[in-house]
Amino acid sequence: MFIKLFQKIFGTKNDRFLKSIKIIVDHINFLEKKNNQLTDHELQQKTQFFRECLINGKTLDDLLPEAFSVLREASRRVLGMRHFDVQLLGGIALHKGYITEMCTGEGKTLTATLPAYLNAIEGKGVHIFTTNEYLVKRDFKKHAPLFKFLDLKVGINLSNMSTALKHNAYLSDILYGTNNEFCFDYLRDNMIFNPTNRVQRELNYALIDEVDSILIDESRTPLVISGPSYSSVEIYIQINNIIPYFIKSRQIRLDILNQSGYFIIDEEYKQISFTEIGLIYIEKLLIKHDMMCMNESLYSSNNIVLLYRLITALRAHIFFKKNVDYIIKHNKVLIIDEHTGRIMLGRRWSDGLHQAIEAKENVKIRDENKVLASISFQNYFKLYQKISGMSGTISTESDEFYFVYNLDTVIIPPHRQMIRKDMPDLIYMTESEKFDAIIQGIRSCFLRKQPVLVGTISIEKSEIISNRLRYLNIPHSILNAKFHEKEADIISYAGKLGAVTIATNMAGRGTDIVLGGIFTKRSQFNSKLDYEKSKLIWKKNHDLVVSLGGLHVIGIERHESRRIDNQLKGRAGRQGDPGSSRFYLSMEDTLIRIFSPKNIKNVIRNLGLTKGKAIEHPWINKAILHAQKKVENQNFEIRKQLLEYDNILDEQRYIIYLKRNNIVNQEKIHYMIQSILKDVIFNIIHTYCPNNFSEGLWDITEINRIFSTDFNLFVPIFSWINKIHYISDVIIFKKIFHIIKLYYEKRKNEIGEIRMYKLEKYTMLRVLDSLWVDHLLNMEHLRKVIHFRGYAQKDPYQEYKRESFILFSKMLDILKYKVISNIIKNCIFLKLYYL
């Protein structure tokens, strides 16, 4: 109560921030008249002037008002677009490192040009991230002339570009690209053997469009560069052949107390566990199909992998649905992004899940991949000196942005007041009744020619709606992962008179829905008369759509995240346009069935819900909101836990990449090899000739075997013991080091100093990469099983931290040993080759 009173008197934190930067906007507007009078040449010269100011001690904050004013004037001349004051507010917030919420249609991409220009003046590079390459190309094509006009170098980063082109692109002042491609470039840069193949430079400023999609929705999936592991695919086919028998043997959805079933499904967490009789039955099936030996247990150490493959195959059959989670295209399983509805090209589910789905769908099963390099978006963006981002719906995730990235959120007011009507949800008893009502609602809009946008959560549901409309002869456009190539055209004309558009998720589409449809540019008409006639027709249609209430949005189901629902609603009511929205729900919807309060059905029946009728009530909306918050909190906890675990790996990744880059950047690492050689010899001697043991207890035979087997060297330790009256581990160390050093110098003289230095460098990098790949796999296995430590009253996170440190330390020790072993052995082969 006190907080509300304080906010009423002094305003919210958001209000106070906007008030503080409104002074800067007034200053920018004051400078506008002065910059209007500059010639194009004088305006272009401003960039160099700002650079000189920075050299003379001024900061970017000092230059902000004039730089924004210059950019605004250049935009007016080059693009024919003048930034609104609210866009200036957004630009200031972005420059200061805030996450900004701007409503759909408020011109976020134009707003981004302001902080991009200001920060590009430094010459350190500005990276502008978007969610897909269509938007990258569009934004680059649209805004490159503006930045080039102001004497800035602008680049584009695409997946099919060569290393040389990428290297040149990264030297740009402003670079457009997708979050995936920037991350992959970072990983590839840390796999190179020659510094000239590195494309990225210092990561300075990241400006992220659709920031919630990139930093939250996709943060649970790490970016991975993988290679084939050449494992057998036969196991997936064998397991897939028995899974259908197992599923059909009992009802799929079981009550956890019903132990007569074979397995228990946890739909909330998408997990499966066997019951006791289920375990007995599946073991019989495995024995029958010669996949397991008689009298063996599925939980024995020999069958752990088989057990994991079984559970993965069950999850593939039960939880992953065709045209919902994936589609089949060109005989391949392609993943659908649950948040955007787009195909995730190049992505594959890990841990055998993708292979299990390929077996289920009877398409070619490709080899399981092993991870060569990986990083999460969360940890990649933390490498930048400064990050900021924007989206239409982020206020619900402001706590997570602050917790994970230490970024505050600012809500920028719209240019014109929002007048969209968001009607209460309608809830029906069954999904069939809900679809009947949706079709009736669409038909009603179509008959009065009001454009309608239908938002679905899966391809399967969008095609159900499409088939029903086709039966009624209602023309419509459908946008989902199967038709994503046409998305810009479909969305741009979704506001036309009488248009019916069905879309699977609306996040990050990057195209505004204009009432009356997009008007064709003047340059595309043959004459001014044709242009004027077309403009009159468009104006008439636009006004008619406005009179009908603007775009009407229909949601066929509430999403797990409030943001996704808000993104759909945000398509209507753009920049003060009229519009409306309504969601249709049923008691069979996933969100209500799984996540709503258990007594929700009884409550709704008491409110009067009967078959064939719908009800709307504030209690329902509160229950749905409660369910969505529950899922959001659950997903946040998952992301938070993943981040905590990934931070440990990130620290190790930092050490490895720093060490690797240090090696790559040096022409010779001879002194590093000498130091490693001393450590390796010392560890061997210390292990088998400890100084607190008498020489009679030393294991000289084992030392001789090690040097003979692993280093192809003979060390006459027995001879030294017989000849030297008093011998110690230190003396043995010095003698062995002297032998290896002489051997090394001899080989270096034989094959040449340059070749020897190349051998050292190549061997060090190759061994480091190989061990790092194995370490990533070990860390992944550790993370999957570490939660079992909780049963022993131990903290899994602390155990993971301890075990990971041990694994990492062992890897570094093995690295030293293998590097020396390989170098000395390879010296022999090189000698034979070059002599």
Side-chain angles (χ1 to χ4, degrees):
M1 185 176 178
F2 176 77
I3 294 174
K4 287 183 178 179
L5 179 62
F6 181 87
Q7 290 178 345
K8 190 173 181 180
I9 298 171
F10 299 102
T12 63
K13 181 181 179 182
N14 193 82
D15 294 335
R16 295 193 297 274
F17 175 77
L18 291 177
K19 186 177 180 180
S20 68
I21 63 175
K22 180 66 170 59
I23 301 168
I24 303 175
V25 172
D26 292 339
H27 189 189
I28 297 168
N29 289 331
F30 173 77
L31 295 170
E32 185 173 19
K33 187 176 180 180
K34 172 187 170 184
N35 287 320
N36 283 346
Q37 297 171 357
L38 297 177
T39 65
D40 285 357
H41 179 69
E42 289 172 332
L43 200 62
Q44 291 167 340
Q45 291 292 97
K46 283 290 185 179
T47 302
Q48 184 58 36
F49 168 73
F50 293 144
R51 284 173 172 161
E52 290 171 1
C53 289
L54 289 175
I55 294 171
N56 293 328
K58 286 198 173 183
T59 65
L60 291 179
D61 287 346
D62 296 332
L63 300 177
L64 189 151
E66 190 171 359
F68 274 31
S69 180
V70 165
L71 191 280
R72 178 199 247 180
E73 177 60 24
S75 176
R76 187 184 66 80
R77 297 184 190 186
V78 177
L79 305 179
M81 303 175 74
R82 177 186 175 275
H83 295 76
F84 300 134
D85 282 4
V86 292
Q87 290 173 318
L88 297 178
L89 288 172
I92 296 167
L94 289 169
H95 165 68
K96 291 184 176 294
Y98 283 85
I99 301 295
T100 61
E101 177 175 293
M102 297 180 71
C103 294
T104 300
E106 291 294 312
K108 292 188 291 293
T109 53
L110 185 63
T111 300
T113 59
L114 294 161
Y117 172 67
L118 176 64
N119 286 268
I121 293 168
E122 279 189 309
K124 296 179 181 179
V126 174
H127 294 169
I128 301 180
F129 295 82
T130 52
T131 53
N132 62 74
E133 290 201 341
Y134 160 73
L135 294 177
V136 170
K137 293 173 184 176
R138 186 205 67 177
D139 292 351
F140 170 77
K141 183 178 179 181
K142 185 176 181 179
H143 294 135
L146 170 62
F147 294 125
K148 288 178 181 177
F149 176 82
L150 290 171
D151 197 28
L152 292 178
K153 184 181 177 183
V154 193
I156 186 168
N157 183 22
L158 301 175
S159 57
N160 58 355
M161 289 169 58
S162 66
T163 300
L165 288 175
K166 278 182 173 287
H167 185 272
N168 186 55
Y170 273 99
L171 295 176
S172 302
D173 297 307
I174 297 172
L175 182 61
Y176 285 90
T178 64
N179 46 306
N180 285 355
E181 199 56 31
F182 279 104
C183 279
F184 281 134
D185 286 340
Y186 172 76
L187 293 176
R188 285 189 286 259
D189 273 359
N190 286 283
M191 297 173 70
I192 60 170
F193 283 77
N194 191 321
T196 59
N197 293 328
R198 187 180 291 117
V199 297
Q200 288 189 339
R201 53 174 173 159
E202 180 188 9
L203 301 178
N204 178 44
Y205 177 34
L207 182 50
I208 310 167
D209 194 7
E210 302 299 341
V211 65
D212 50 343
S213 175
I214 293 173
L215 292 190
I216 292 181
D217 297 336
E218 296 189 42
S219 64
R220 287 165 62 177
T221 306
L223 261 289
V224 173
I225 291 180
S226 58
S229 61
Y230 305 108
S231 57
S232 173
V233 299
E234 191 62 33
I235 184 68
Y236 299 105
I237 298 171
Q238 291 176 319
I239 291 175
N240 187 69
N241 290 337
I242 68 170
I243 288 296
Y245 297 111
F246 189 65
I247 292 176
K248 290 177 183 177
S249 300
R250 281 293 188 273
Q251 178 186 350
I252 293 178
R253 188 170 288 109
L254 304 173
D255 191 303
I256 196 166
L257 298 176
N258 179 9
Q259 294 299 311
S260 63
Y262 284 169
F263 56 91
I264 300 165
I265 294 174
D266 184 345
E267 288 188 278
E268 188 171 341
Y269 292 95
K270 289 190 176 182
Q271 296 298 324
I272 291 174
S273 57
F274 294 116
T275 62
E276 189 174 343
I277 64 167
L279 181 62
I280 295 170
Y281 180 70
I282 196 69
E283 285 177 346
K284 288 179 180 177
L285 275 176
L286 293 170
I287 293 168
K288 181 181 176 181
H289 288 81
D290 297 322
M291 296 175 66
M292 198 172 80
C293 298
M294 188 74 74
N295 300 323
E296 263 192 351
S297 168
L298 187 56
Y299 283 95
S300 69
S301 58
N302 294 333
N303 295 315
I304 288 298
V305 175
L306 181 60
L307 171 63
Y308 183 76
R309 293 283 181 259
L310 277 167
I311 293 175
T312 301
L314 273 171
R315 292 179 66 233
H317 276 265
I318 294 170
F319 293 126
F320 291 83
K321 307 296 183 185
K322 183 179 176 181
N323 291 335
V324 177
D325 302 291
Y326 62 90
I327 64 171
I328 306 297
K329 194 171 184 179
H330 305 310
N331 205 34
K332 292 180 181 179
V333 173
L334 302 178
I335 303 173
I336 297 172
D337 188 331
E338 63 174 312
H339 302 289
T340 67
R342 292 192 181 91
I343 295 173
M344 302 175 75
L345 293 172
R347 294 279 192 97
R348 288 175 65 81
W349 283 298
S350 59
D351 304 321
L353 176 59
H354 211 100
Q355 286 76 12
I357 293 173
E358 286 171 332
K360 166 189 166 185
E361 296 295 344
N362 196 28
V363 301
K364 182 182 178 182
I365 303 174
R366 290 188 285 170
D367 287 326
E368 198 172 339
N369 290 332
K370 61 179 178 181
V371 176
L372 302 180
S374 73
I375 192 171
S376 66
F377 286 133
Q378 291 168 326
N379 282 314
Y380 173 73
F381 282 105
K382 286 181 180 179
L383 297 171
Y384 280 84
Q385 297 295 317
K386 181 170 75 173
I387 63 174
S388 63
M390 53 195 175
S391 182
T393 48
I394 53 174
S395 55
T396 57
E397 313 295 339
S398 57
D399 290 343
E400 183 166 351
F401 277 118
Y402 188 78
F403 175 83
V404 176
Y405 305 99
N406 198 29
L407 295 172
D408 282 317
T409 301
V410 173
I411 301 173
I412 305 297
H415 177 56
R416 293 193 179 97
Q417 185 179 355
M418 174 72 70
I419 59 173
R420 184 185 66 236
K421 296 178 182 178
D422 295 324
M423 294 178 274
D425 296 353
L426 289 177
I427 188 164
Y428 292 83
M429 186 64 74
T430 66
E431 188 174 62
S432 176
E433 294 173 84
K434 179 184 74 172
F435 277 122
D436 289 340
I438 290 169
I439 297 301
Q440 185 57 41
I442 296 171
R443 185 170 180 272
S444 176
C445 289
F446 175 72
L447 290 175
R448 64 175 179 268
K449 294 190 177 297
Q450 182 181 11
V452 58
L453 173 67
V454 184
T456 69
I457 64 170
S458 69
I459 293 176
E460 184 181 42
K461 297 291 175 67
S462 68
E463 292 185 340
I464 290 173
I465 299 291
S466 178
N467 291 335
R468 295 279 295 270
L469 294 179
R470 201 175 292 117
Y471 178 77
L472 294 173
N473 292 320
I474 296 177
H476 59 280
S477 299
I478 183 168
L479 176 61
N480 55 40
K482 290 183 176 180
F483 308 101
H484 70 281
E485 297 92 347
K486 303 176 182 177
E487 69 173 50
D489 290 336
I490 293 173
I491 292 299
S492 63
Y493 289 103
K496 287 184 69 175
L497 196 66
V500 177
T501 308
I502 305 168
T504 303
N505 291 334
M506 288 301 300
R509 294 296 179 186
T511 305
D512 291 333
I513 297 178
V514 179
L515 300 187
I518 295 292
F519 182 62
T520 310
K521 293 181 179 179
R522 169 68 178 87
S523 58
Q524 295 177 329
F525 289 92
N526 294 325
S527 67
K528 185 177 180 181
L529 182 61
D530 290 341
Y531 170 75
E532 294 297 337
K533 284 181 180 179
S534 181
K535 189 174 181 180
L536 285 172
I537 294 171
W538 177 86
K539 183 68 168 61
K540 181 181 177 182
N541 290 334
H542 171 80
D543 293 344
L544 187 53
V545 171
V546 169
S547 68
L548 291 169
L551 179 70
H552 180 57
V553 171
I554 290 177
I556 73 162
E557 194 169 333
R558 283 286 183 179
H559 199 274
E560 289 181 358
S561 170
R562 287 171 290 168
R563 282 187 301 110
I564 310 300
D565 290 341
N566 292 338
Q567 286 165 358
L568 176 61
K569 289 190 295 184
R571 290 293 164 176
R574 169 186 170 273
Q575 288 200 8
D577 284 341
S580 56
S581 71
R582 187 189 285 279
F583 281 81
Y584 292 75
L585 315 177
S586 81
M587 297 304 300
E588 295 175 349
D589 290 352
T590 303
L591 185 69
I592 295 176
R593 182 170 50 80
I594 299 176
F595 298 103
S596 291
K598 301 303 179 184
N599 63 343
I600 185 68
K601 284 189 176 181
N602 294 330
V603 171
I604 291 178
R605 284 196 183 97
N606 291 336
L607 291 173
L609 179 62
T610 57
K611 189 174 181 180
K613 291 185 178 180
I615 62 170
E616 55 180 74
H617 198 282
W619 289 2
I620 299 172
N621 292 344
K622 286 182 180 179
I624 298 298
L625 184 64
H626 171 78
Q628 288 177 313
K629 285 182 177 179
K630 180 181 177 181
V631 181
E632 288 169 357
N633 289 335
Q634 178 180 300
N635 290 335
F636 176 39
E637 288 301 317
I638 292 172
R639 289 192 292 267
K640 188 165 70 171
Q641 186 183 63
L642 286 173
L643 178 64
E644 289 172 349
Y645 281 77
D646 193 55
N647 281 342
I648 295 172
L649 182 59
D650 190 57
E651 291 174 8
Q652 298 176 355
R653 183 189 298 111
Y654 175 79
I655 294 169
I656 292 296
Y657 283 179
L658 187 67
K659 187 180 189 70
R660 197 183 188 285
N661 285 322
N662 186 33
I663 296 167
V664 169
N665 291 334
Q666 296 185 59
E667 289 187 14
K668 54 184 181 180
I669 57 168
H670 179 64
Y671 294 105
M672 189 186 298
I673 297 297
Q674 291 286 306
S675 175
I676 292 173
L677 174 61
K678 290 179 180 178
D679 289 343
V680 170
I681 297 173
F682 175 81
N683 288 334
I684 295 172
I685 301 301
H686 182 72
T687 303
Y688 299 102
C689 301
N691 57 8
N692 56 339
F693 280 31
S694 64
E695 61 187 68
L697 297 176
W698 289 351
D699 194 347
I700 307 300
T701 303
E702 183 61 19
I703 294 179
N704 284 332
R705 187 196 66 78
I706 288 171
F707 279 104
S708 174
T709 304
D710 295 344
F711 301 93
N712 286 337
L713 289 174
F714 172 70
V715 287
I717 301 179
F718 284 116
S719 175
W720 298 338
I721 292 174
N722 292 331
K723 290 180 179 179
I724 301 173
H725 177 69
Y726 173 78
I727 193 166
S728 67
D729 57 331
V730 176
I731 293 173
I732 293 176
F733 168 81
K734 288 180 178 179
K735 283 184 170 291
I736 292 176
F737 181 75
H738 181 68
I739 287 175
I740 294 177
K741 193 173 180 181
L742 288 177
Y743 172 82
Y744 174 89
E745 291 298 327
K746 182 181 178 182
R747 294 299 182 227
K748 185 172 71 172
N749 292 331
E750 290 170 343
I751 65 177
E753 188 177 73
I754 295 176
R755 290 192 182 105
M756 178 59 80
Y757 290 152
K758 285 183 177 179
L759 169 66
E760 290 176 340
K761 186 173 178 179
Y762 175 79
T763 302
M764 186 76 169
L765 291 173
R766 185 169 56 81
V767 174
L768 179 62
D769 289 345
S770 175
L771 292 176
W772 178 242
V773 168
D774 293 340
H775 182 70
L776 289 174
L777 183 62
N778 292 334
M779 290 288 283
E780 185 62 27
H781 288 162
L782 177 64
R783 184 153 67 176
K784 286 177 182 175
V785 300
I786 201 68
H787 67 277
F788 288 119
R789 302 283 177 94
Y791 296 122
Q793 306 301 312
K794 294 181 179 179
D795 182 356
Y797 174 71
Q798 293 300 327
E799 288 294 297
Y800 178 81
K801 196 173 182 179
R802 184 178 65 83
E803 293 280 355
S804 65
F805 176 77
I806 294 171
L807 284 173
F808 190 66
S809 299
K810 285 182 178 178
M811 183 195 72
L812 294 179
D813 289 339
I814 295 170
L815 169 68
K816 294 177 180 180
Y817 191 90
K818 282 196 170 186
V819 165
I820 298 302
S821 173
N822 287 355
I823 287 175
I824 294 176
K825 283 182 177 179
N826 286 336
C827 280
I828 297 173
F829 293 115
L830 282 173
K831 176 198 171 186
L832 294 173
Y833 181 81
Y834 286 113
L835 288 181

